């Protein structure tokens, strides 16, 4: 059987009792050290029904959910009173669950407008902004399914006012992203449909407005946020070509015979799928090809076909040959220096997908659907590539990886690694994080997995507190060489504790590993901290994960002594202001 990617309803146990039983089984099998994620719900409705769905999806991802619900309509008290259960719970994410019927008693009356609701929301948003919650989810309101003016009269009505109020919510989220994110109730309800989403009976009996389908969909949307915050978003899309990027077999049908165009079915389905691929490229997702074809045939389509949106310059890598696709995928992962669990592979051939699922189970596989009209939405359906932040580095990522290919070609021209590194002309710009870099810092903490000594995930609110504290600092590393910029690729966070400095986080983008930049970065940060704080010693940690084993010995290499070791954690100390190590001489350090 193929390993299916979860979709909104197909993989859900058929009844609520089955769902609870499945969750209990998952919970019993979880290791004791499995992380817990805390949800806090601010609401004016009954939403406890979401708990079994959210619990099930969280447990499936190896996370323990911990939910607490605030009182009905007591949002300000729940946020501001220090003895509030919600405040004491210290949720990782605050989730609003607000219905207009409870927010504004006049909603639904003739002549209603959204002015009062906007004022109420402004007050709630201010209180949320002042809270300590690192991540906050705001909901939109469900536009009425049946406008009061009927279908024939294009008059101002409540539906238009609710739509305007929703735009107010969306605008607030855009302005305050990534700390604030959106749960678009209106989109979910209208996608699912009134009959499956709304439970009017229980709304009137107990203020519980939603049916199973909506609660499940909302739980999945919340899961997407958690996975993005935990760094589980996918990084690389791998595509087959024939009957995947276009219809037909180009080696047999020729460029003129394949199905790919903007007007006629089935070619339009492939064309619209390529639109989605380009949107992912724009968001920083790496796109590669892994296909059994003649290379020239494929590139003829990309270079010459009038309706091919995907071009050669969009690719970060490719394996177009007649070799085993599992071997090709493993080679692509090595070439791009990312884990196979960051890959999503799309193919039309179930036998090829079965091979990948057996040999490389870390790879997420997606099959081109038999109902081709469902294909354009395939990559958007489950939020595999969702992220809360899109930085400038994301938009340049493909070109950065293409330049990396030039560097690797240069490596072959040198007798050894030392000679190659010396030839690069590496420059490291190291300084305290600026306002313009803060979002990139947040993004790196949320998605960097391989060279990340503690893998602590931070929101923009968390990073802002570090930067504002006199007893903490956040340094960044931006690197370049004679081939061009490598972007902002490193983060170092430290806190002062009396006469010692404690390293909270150290992480580097996988794109720059192998250049010894990590040593130059850390040594320069340490030197500046000693000069600024006058500290006498250092403390640091290594927290083991499934992906960061390559960083396990970093503090040892730097001369730190192992002080304590428990399962998954090592604590180190350096009873001196600086290690007895010199920064790599071939790296030039820029001043502040």
């Amino acid at each position: 059987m193929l390993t299916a990617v979860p979709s909104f309803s197909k993989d859900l146990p058929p009844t609520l009792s089955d769902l609870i039983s499945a969750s209990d089984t998952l919970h019993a099998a979880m290791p004791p050290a499995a992380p817990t994620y805390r949800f806090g719900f601010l609401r004016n409705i009954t939403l406890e029904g979401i708990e079994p769905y959210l619990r099930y999806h969280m447990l499936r991802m190896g996370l323990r959910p911990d939910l607490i619900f605030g009182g009905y309509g007591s949002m300000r008290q729940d946020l501001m009173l220090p003895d509030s259960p919600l405040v004491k719970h210290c949720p990782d994410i605050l989730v609003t669950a607000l219905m207009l019927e409870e927010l504004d008693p006049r909603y639904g009356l003739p002549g209603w407008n959204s002015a009062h609701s906007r004022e109420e929301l402004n007050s709630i948003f201010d209180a949320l902004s002042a809270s300590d919650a690192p991540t906050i989810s705001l909901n939109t309101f469900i536009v009425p399914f049946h406008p009061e003016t009927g279908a024939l009269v294009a008059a101002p009505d409540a539906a238009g006012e609710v739509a305007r109020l929703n735009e107010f919510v969306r605008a607030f989220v855009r302005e305050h992203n990534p700390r604030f994110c959106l749960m678009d109730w209106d989109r979910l309800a209208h996608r699912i449909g009134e009959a499956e989403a709304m439970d009017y009976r229980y709304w009137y009996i107990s203020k519980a407005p939603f049916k199973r389908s909506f609660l499940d969909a909302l739980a999945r949307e919340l899961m997407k946020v958690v996975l993005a915050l935990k760094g589980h978003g996918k990084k690389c899309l791998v595509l087959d070509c024939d009957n995947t990027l276009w219809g037909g077999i180009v080696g047999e049908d020729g460029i003129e015979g394949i199905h790919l165009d903007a007007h006629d079915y089935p070619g339009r389905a492939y064309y619209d799928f390529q639109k989605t691929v380009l949107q992912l490229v724009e968001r920083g997702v790496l796109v590669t090809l892994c296909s059994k074809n003649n290379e020239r045939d494929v590139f003829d389509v990309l270079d010459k076909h009038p309706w091919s949106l995907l071009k050669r310059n969009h690719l970060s890598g490719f394996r177009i040959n007649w070799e085993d696709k599992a071997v090709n995928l493993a080679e692509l992962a090595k070439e791009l220096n990312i884990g196979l669990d960051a890959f999503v592979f799309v193919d039309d051939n179930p036998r090829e997908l079965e091979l990948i699922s057996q040999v490389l189970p870390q790879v997420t596989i997606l099959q081109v659907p038999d109902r081709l009209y469902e294909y354009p939405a395939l990559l958007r359906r489950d939020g595999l590539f969702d992220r809360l932040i899109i930085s400038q580095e994301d938009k340049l990522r493909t070109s950065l990886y293409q330049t990396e290919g030039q560097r690797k070609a240069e490596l072959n021209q040198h007798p050894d690694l030392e000679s190659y590194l010396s030839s690069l002309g590496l420059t490291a710009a190291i300084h305290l994080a600026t306002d313009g870099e803060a979002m990139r810092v947040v993004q790196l903490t949320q998605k960097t997995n391989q060279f990340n000594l503690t893998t602590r995930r931070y929101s923009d609110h968390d990073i802002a507190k570090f930067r504002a504290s006199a007893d903490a600092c956040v340094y960044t590393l931006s690197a370049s060489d004679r081939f061009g910029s490598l972007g902002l690729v490193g983060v170092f966070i430290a806190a002062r504790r009396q006469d010692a400095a404690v390293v909270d986080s150290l992480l580097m983008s996988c794109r720059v590993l192998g250049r010894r930049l990590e040593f130059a970065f850390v040594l320069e940060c340490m030197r500046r901290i000693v000069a600024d704080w006058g500290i006498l010693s250092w403390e640091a940690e290594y927290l083991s994960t499934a992906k960061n084993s390559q960083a396990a010995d970093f503090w040892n290499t730097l001369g730190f002594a192992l002080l304590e070791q428990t399962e998954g954690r090592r604590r180190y100390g350096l009873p001196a202001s600086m290690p007895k190590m010199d920064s790599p001489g071939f790296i030039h350090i820029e001043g502040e």
Side-chain angles (χ1 to χ4, degrees):
M1 289 292 292
L2 299 181
T3 303
V5 174
S7 62
F8 270 92
S9 60
K10 295 177 182 177
D11 62 333
L12 199 68
T15 68
L16 183 57
S17 61
D18 291 331
L19 182 73
I20 294 171
S21 176
S23 296
D24 290 343
T25 300
L26 289 167
H27 185 269
M30 290 193 75
T36 297
Y37 202 83
R38 298 182 299 276
F39 294 83
F41 289 87
L42 293 165
R43 44 66 177 276
N44 60 14
I45 60 172
T46 300
L47 198 67
E48 281 82 348
I50 196 174
E51 184 162 5
Y53 300 95
L54 190 53
R55 181 170 181 259
Y56 173 71
H57 294 305
M58 290 283 287
L59 291 170
R60 290 178 72 199
M61 298 306 300
L63 299 168
R64 297 178 189 273
D66 186 6
L67 281 65
I68 187 169
F69 295 87
Y72 293 97
S74 59
M75 282 79 73
R76 293 175 188 82
Q77 298 93 311
D78 289 333
L79 286 171
M80 299 173 69
L81 295 178
D83 61 346
S84 158
L86 202 64
V87 171
K88 291 180 178 180
H89 189 65
C90 297
D92 296 298
I93 181 171
L94 274 175
V95 183
T96 66
L98 307 176
M99 292 281 283
L100 272 175
E101 288 85 345
E102 298 299 306
L103 191 69
D104 186 349
R106 290 190 57 80
Y107 174 65
L109 292 174
W112 174 83
N113 66 62
S114 60
H116 175 73
S117 299
R118 190 178 291 110
E119 291 177 5
E120 285 290 301
L121 288 178
N122 264 325
S123 177
I124 294 169
F125 294 171
D126 286 344
L128 287 166
S129 298
S131 74
D132 288 328
T135 304
I136 301 165
S137 167
L138 304 181
N139 67 279
T140 58
F141 302 96
I142 299 171
V143 174
F145 290 94
H146 310 286
E148 70 271 23
T149 57
L152 302 180
V153 181
D157 59 7
E161 285 294 307
V162 176
R164 280 186 282 275
L165 190 61
N166 284 343
E167 184 50 40
F168 167 74
V169 176
R170 293 187 182 100
F172 184 90
V173 170
R174 284 193 296 268
E175 184 178 348
H176 296 85
N177 178 265
R179 187 186 182 202
F180 284 81
C181 59
L182 190 70
M183 288 294 109
D184 200 337
W185 286 14
D186 182 55
R187 177 179 60 83
L188 288 180
H190 282 83
R191 187 183 73 190
I192 295 168
E194 182 182 19
E196 290 297 315
M198 308 307 298
D199 195 327
Y200 295 119
R201 176 189 176 194
Y202 281 99
W203 167 244
Y204 287 113
I205 293 173
S206 57
K207 294 185 180 179
F210 301 126
K211 288 183 179 178
R212 169 186 172 94
S213 293
F214 186 93
L215 293 171
D216 177 47
L218 181 56
R220 292 177 188 261
E221 292 295 297
L222 288 169
M223 270 301 305
K224 293 177 184 179
V225 175
V226 173
L227 293 178
L229 290 169
K230 289 286 185 181
H232 292 293
K234 304 301 181 181
K235 298 178 181 179
C236 183
L237 173 64
V238 188
L239 298 167
D240 176 46
C241 292
D242 291 331
N243 291 309
T244 301
L245 273 176
W246 53 76
I249 301 173
V250 67
E252 298 177 3
D253 303 326
I255 292 181
E256 300 81 6
I258 63 174
H259 299 293
L260 180 63
D261 62 73
H263 303 293
D264 296 324
Y265 186 82
R268 185 172 179 179
Y270 294 102
Y271 179 80
D272 286 348
F273 175 78
Q274 289 198 22
K275 284 183 182 178
T276 302
V277 173
L278 292 196
Q279 290 167 358
L280 293 177
V281 172
E282 181 70 13
R283 286 161 44 189
V285 174
L286 304 177
V287 173
T288 63
L289 302 182
C290 182
S291 186
K292 290 182 177 178
N293 286 90
N294 293 319
E295 187 175 304
R296 181 176 178 179
D297 290 340
V298 170
F299 284 124
D300 277 349
V301 176
L302 270 57
D303 295 340
K304 300 176 183 178
H305 196 286
W307 295 113
S308 180
L309 297 173
L310 188 69
K311 301 297 182 183
R312 196 187 301 231
N313 65 295
H314 295 130
L315 301 178
S316 299
F318 58 87
R319 290 294 186 278
I320 304 170
N321 52 43
W322 301 96
E323 304 300 323
D324 184 292
K325 287 190 178 182
V327 173
N328 282 335
L329 281 175
E331 289 180 356
L332 279 170
K334 184 177 180 181
E335 176 182 315
L336 299 174
N337 199 21
I338 57 178
L340 285 163
D341 61 342
F343 277 45
V344 175
F345 178 51
V346 183
D347 201 317
D348 67 298
N349 189 331
R351 290 182 295 277
E352 295 284 10
L353 292 173
E354 178 68 25
L355 168 69
I356 300 302
S357 71
Q358 294 296 324
V359 179
L360 303 174
Q362 313 97 305
V363 175
T364 297
I365 58 174
L366 296 174
Q367 184 172 347
V368 178
D370 293 334
R371 293 178 291 195
L372 202 58
Y373 51 82
E374 296 178 350
Y375 190 32
L378 181 70
L379 298 176
R380 300 192 298 266
R381 186 188 64 197
D382 297 303
L384 294 169
F385 299 98
D386 281 4
R387 58 189 65 178
L388 299 181
I389 308 165
I390 299 176
S391 68
Q392 186 61 30
E393 273 82 0
D394 290 326
K395 297 180 180 181
L396 298 173
R397 181 162 287 111
T398 297
S399 63
L400 291 172
Y401 269 90
Q402 290 170 346
T403 307
E404 190 62 20
Q406 298 174 27
R407 294 184 180 93
K408 290 180 178 178
E410 175 74 11
L411 175 60
N412 297 327
Q413 308 303 314
H414 291 268
D416 53 48
L417 180 61
E418 197 75 22
S419 170
Y420 165 68
L421 292 175
S422 297
S423 76
L424 288 177
L426 278 165
T427 296
I430 300 168
H431 52 242
L432 292 170
T434 65
D435 291 345
E437 293 173 332
M439 288 301 101
R440 172 62 173 166
V441 170
V442 173
Q443 184 186 55
L444 283 173
T445 70
Q446 291 178 359
K447 73 173 190 173
T448 305
N449 295 306
Q450 294 184 57
F451 193 93
N452 192 333
L453 275 293
T454 55
T455 319
R456 295 186 173 109
R457 309 301 189 184
Y458 287 127
S459 69
D460 58 327
H461 187 57
D462 298 322
I463 296 300
K465 288 198 292 186
F466 276 122
R467 293 180 61 214
S469 172
D471 292 317
C473 59
V474 180
Y475 278 93
T476 64
L477 165 67
S478 296
S480 61
D481 61 17
R482 62 186 176 88
F483 289 95
S485 172
L486 290 155
L488 197 163
V489 293
V491 176
F492 181 96
I493 302 174
R496 176 164 48 186
R497 184 182 299 159
Q498 297 177 340
D499 61 353
V502 181
V503 180
D504 176 272
S505 297
L506 169 61
L507 54 97
M508 300 275 291
S509 169
C510 60
R511 286 191 291 106
V512 298
L513 297 180
R515 294 172 172 83
R516 302 182 194 165
L517 280 162
E518 60 271 26
F519 295 105
F521 182 37
V522 171
L523 289 168
E524 182 64 14
C525 289
M526 292 176 71
R527 184 189 68 78
R528 296 185 188 185
I529 289 170
V530 168
D532 291 342
W533 289 351
I535 57 97
L536 302 177
S537 62
W538 289 85
E539 297 177 20
E541 285 182 305
Y542 167 70
L543 304 180
S544 175
T545 71
K547 300 181 182 180
N548 70 349
S549 59
Q550 66 177 286
D553 296 323
F554 179 79
W555 295 121
N556 287 0
T557 304
L558 213 60
F560 281 62
L562 180 63
L563 302 179
E564 179 187 4
Q565 182 168 354
T566 57
E567 184 177 356
R569 178 178 181 263
R570 300 179 197 169
R571 188 170 68 86
Y572 294 88
L574 183 70
S577 59
M578 290 295 294
K580 294 178 180 179
M581 174 186 279
D582 294 327
S583 182
F586 54 81
I587 299 175
H588 171 68
I589 307 294
E590 288 187 357
E592 288 185 303

